[in-house]
Amino acid sequence: MGADTFPTAFLFLVAGCILPLLPRGLPRAALLIAVPVIAAGQVLAVPAGGHLESELFGFTLQLMRVDALSRVFALIFCIAAFLGNLYAWHVRDPVQQTAALLYAGSAIGAVFAGDLVTLFIYWEGTALASVFLIWARRTPGAFHTGMRYLAIQIGSGVLLLAGVILLHRETQSIAFDRMTLGSLATWLIFIAFGIKCAFPLLHNWLQDSYPAATVTGTVILSAFTTKLAVYSLARGFPGTEILIYIGTLMTIFPIFFAEIENDLRRVLAYSLNNQLGFMVVGIGIGTEMALNGTVSHAFAHILYKALLFMSVGAVLFRTGTSKASELGGLYRTMPLTALCCVIGAASISAFPLFSGFVTKSLILHEVEVAHMTVIWLGLVFASAGVLSHSGIKVPYFAFFAHDSGRRPAEAPPHMLLAMGLTAFLCVFIGVHPGPLYELLPYPVHYDAYTVPHVVGQLELLLFAMLAFCVLMRTGIHPPEVRAVNLDFDWTYRRFIPSILTRVLDAAAGASDVATGWLRSRGRSFADHLYHSRGPENLLGRSWPTGSMALFIVGVLVWVLIITFLSGL
């Protein structure tokens, strides 16, 4: 089997099966690093077209559909797997190591899937593999969080499977191509994609699960699941107008929760939701340039979001906490980690010369060209908001705020190397976007570094920074306090359990009343039977012999009379 026919995903899946058999230490760590590098080489080398078709239960499955869209996502997934595994070089837990390989392999397999059945198989593979990165923390909270995460992810797969079955019944096809909302089948597939993409009201699994994973598991989780959903929407529903409004809402609502959140990893989870909204808007617009913006922003987002999670993870690794209220002043002993965090913050805030600036602007430009004024204003507001809660809040409270008195050691060398490589890519893409633009599905005719665009972006960012400073100086900015903040998950964590508790209490009370009534009625009926049929009733008590003979004679006379009368 040649390099152009062997599925890239199988490299990861086979390595995941082999890894537990290898000796602990260097052999396993080397395998984790080597596989993504080999896979990336294959992704760049494999020719475009369909490869490796297989028959399964009468369906023709296409395991490798290679085009510009699938290639760029597969490539960034390989890069993310390499950087994540390098960051986790110190981990000797075979559960996490195996899960990381299987998770990345499943995501890449889904990206290359040419049909919906193959997509479903890998879709569920990502859910089953990724949950072990949460359970690997081995705490009761992580176990319960993993169960909630698994239930939601498997539920997404069930909806996808139901949609595929209905779509096949309608069209006799399982091809994974562009679809139009208009039937139950396509709506089910759309919702399945939306769950993984963390649509509003379907998003809380993200903020619940990612911060609950291990230090290294969160970095790996941030790269694959949601971006797989973005790819699926870009492949299946480009130009679907409802996505414009869904994406705009996604960019705005996380800002307020991120501002009041104390756990910095949850802040980053909310900002991840915010950035996904920009990508969803680009898919909804559906033009070639908007889709280029979505793909390039997903590429850049995987890198700078991983960098932010790495830096906060390094802090958690050294201090044992990621709470803003317990951190501050760490730049004194963790200067390189602080620098990497600032680069990630500048990238997510779309500062000129950083990756977010040259990718997000493609989407904003298309919104402006389409004269969607309200949508444009919403995205600009969201851009200012992300600077506040991720561009400023995360590095400020972790490294530069009040001195917490903590003096942890700098991050381990392999973590610094992973963060350094990621930071380099964030800056390189921002300074030289051409190589990334060449990977995009459509030709790019856009220059981000025009004077009006640079000046306008700097004005927005400086205004947002001024607003943050004013809020901090006046004490209006929400203080960093130890608290548990809930948004829509309040419905299934508090509201629904309280309703169920009341219903169950009412049912238990009604059951007690009904049981008491039945017990009393049963007791009354038993007493009645005892008095009417028991040994003390008229027929059951002892009678003299003469009385019994007289009674029998009476009965006999009565029978004779009836017999005589009936014969007349």
Side-chain angles (χ1 to χ4, degrees):
M1 186 177 294
D4 61 336
T5 58
F6 189 79
T8 307
F10 284 15
L11 294 173
F12 289 87
L13 301 181
V14 172
C17 295
I18 293 175
L19 185 139
L21 305 177
L22 297 178
R24 293 179 181 270
L26 183 61
R28 292 183 180 180
L31 181 66
L32 288 165
I33 298 300
V35 169
V37 174
I38 297 171
Q42 188 199 29
V43 168
L44 292 173
V46 66
H51 305 279
L52 195 63
E53 293 186 350
S54 178
E55 294 293 327
L56 179 66
F57 302 125
F59 296 106
T60 300
L61 308 184
Q62 190 177 81
L63 303 184
M64 284 286 287
R65 191 233 332 251
V66 183
D67 58 16
L69 181 60
S70 60
R71 192 191 302 274
V72 66
F73 272 93
L75 179 61
I76 187 57
F77 283 174
C78 291
I79 295 173
F82 171 80
L83 294 172
N85 291 338
L86 177 60
Y87 183 78
W89 181 272
H90 66 282
V91 174
R92 295 295 180 262
D93 181 5
V95 172
Q96 293 187 66
Q97 294 172 321
T98 302
L101 286 172
L102 297 181
Y103 183 30
S106 296
I108 293 171
V111 162
F112 279 132
D115 63 272
L116 290 168
V117 173
T118 302
L119 175 69
F120 165 75
I121 294 172
Y122 285 121
W123 193 268
E124 294 295 75
T126 60
L128 295 174
S130 59
V131 71
F132 287 96
L133 297 174
I134 302 171
W135 285 338
R137 202 167 183 180
R138 294 178 173 85
T139 64
F143 171 77
H144 294 297
T145 299
M147 292 300 295
R148 291 192 296 270
Y149 171 85
L150 186 61
I152 292 171
Q153 297 299 314
I154 293 297
S156 170
V158 170
L159 291 177
L160 175 59
L161 179 60
V164 172
I165 293 172
L166 293 176
L167 186 65
H168 178 263
R169 189 176 68 176
E170 294 172 4
T171 65
Q172 303 303 310
S173 173
I174 58 170
F176 184 22
D177 293 316
R178 182 169 183 166
M179 294 171 275
T180 302
L181 289 179
S183 66
L184 179 59
T186 53
W187 271 106
L188 288 174
I189 296 172
F190 182 79
I191 294 172
F193 292 170
I195 292 174
K196 260 188 171 22
C197 199
F199 279 2
L201 307 185
L202 304 174
H203 68 283
N204 285 119
W205 64 266
L206 197 158
Q207 290 79 29
D208 183 29
S209 59
Y210 283 17
T214 63
V215 169
T216 57
T218 300
V219 175
I220 297 171
L221 283 171
S222 69
F224 298 111
T225 296
T226 52
K227 259 54 91 220
L228 171 58
V230 168
Y231 164 81
S232 300
L233 288 170
R235 173 73 70 183
F237 296 96
T240 302
E241 185 178 1
I242 192 175
L243 288 174
I244 300 175
Y245 308 105
I246 292 174
T248 304
L249 184 59
M250 289 174 68
T251 64
I252 295 174
F253 82 85
I255 294 173
F256 305 100
F257 293 103
E259 289 291 354
I260 64 174
E261 181 56 55
N262 186 39
D263 188 333
L264 295 182
R265 294 211 297 177
R266 281 179 62 88
V267 172
L268 293 177
Y270 274 115
S271 70
L272 195 159
N273 215 169
N274 162 277
Q275 295 298 291
L276 289 172
F278 287 93
M279 304 172 207
V280 172
V281 169
I283 297 170
I285 296 173
T287 62
E288 291 185 355
M289 190 63 69
L291 291 174
N292 280 340
T294 292
V295 175
S296 62
H297 198 51
F299 193 103
H301 176 263
I302 288 175
L303 294 173
Y304 63 65
K305 182 59 66 175
L307 181 57
L308 288 167
F309 273 119
M310 285 178 185
S311 56
V312 175
V315 170
L316 175 61
F317 181 75
R318 286 305 194 194
T319 66
T321 183
S322 59
K323 307 290 187 183
S325 58
E326 302 173 13
L327 298 172
L330 301 186
Y331 74 93
R332 293 176 174 86
T333 56
M334 302 183 72
L336 296 178
T337 302
L339 176 62
C340 290
C341 186
V342 169
I343 293 174
S347 298
I348 195 174
S349 303
F351 270 91
L353 303 180
F354 294 90
S355 58
F357 178 77
V358 300
T359 58
K360 186 189 297 183
S361 58
L362 291 172
I363 301 171
L364 290 171
H365 174 74
E366 285 302 291
V367 173
E368 187 177 359
V369 168
H371 303 292
M372 300 178 181
T373 305
V374 175
I375 302 299
W376 185 83
L377 290 173
L379 297 184
V380 170
F381 172 77
S383 298
V386 76
L387 169 64
S388 176
H389 62 69
S390 289
I392 300 177
K393 178 177 179 175
V394 171
Y396 175 73
F397 283 104
F399 298 99
F400 304 106
H402 54 276
D403 189 359
S404 63
R406 298 174 182 268
R407 297 294 183 266
E410 181 58 277
H414 65 277
M415 285 188 174
L416 289 175
L417 179 59
M419 287 188 285
L421 290 174
T422 310
F424 169 78
L425 291 174
C426 290
V427 175
F428 179 82
I429 291 172
V431 176
H432 299 289
L436 174 58
Y437 286 171
E438 291 177 1
L439 291 172
L440 299 180
Y442 305 101
V444 178
H445 305 288
Y446 178 76
D447 181 12
Y449 288 102
T450 61
V451 173
H453 183 216
V454 172
V455 173
Q457 183 69 7
L458 287 176
E459 288 177 346
L460 174 67
L461 295 173
L462 291 174
F463 176 80
M465 293 173 67
L466 176 62
F468 181 85
C469 294
V470 171
L471 292 175
M472 290 297 297
R473 294 289 294 178
T474 58
I476 299 175
H477 190 278
E480 306 307 311
V481 296
R482 295 179 62 89
V484 176
N485 299 313
L486 303 178
D487 56 89
F488 186 72
D489 54 343
W490 173 83
T491 56
Y492 59 81
R493 286 198 178 195
R494 297 286 178 83
F495 179 69
I496 293 178
S498 67
I499 295 298
L500 289 177
T501 299
R502 294 179 182 179
V503 170
L504 292 175
D505 289 343
S511 176
D512 292 341
V513 171
T515 301
W517 181 82
L518 291 174
R519 188 179 291 114
S520 64
R521 296 303 299 171
R523 190 177 297 112
S524 299
F525 182 67
D527 292 342
H528 173 72
L529 287 178
Y530 179 81
H531 291 299
S532 62
R533 299 292 185 270
E536 299 299 325
N537 69 76
L538 181 64
L539 298 177
R541 67 182 60 155
S542 299
W543 287 78
T545 303
S547 299
M548 289 298 299
L550 182 62
F551 175 76
I552 292 173
V553 170
V555 171
L556 180 60
V557 171
W558 181 250
V559 171
L560 291 174
I561 292 172
I562 293 175
T563 303
F564 175 75
L565 292 176
S566 62
L568 293 180

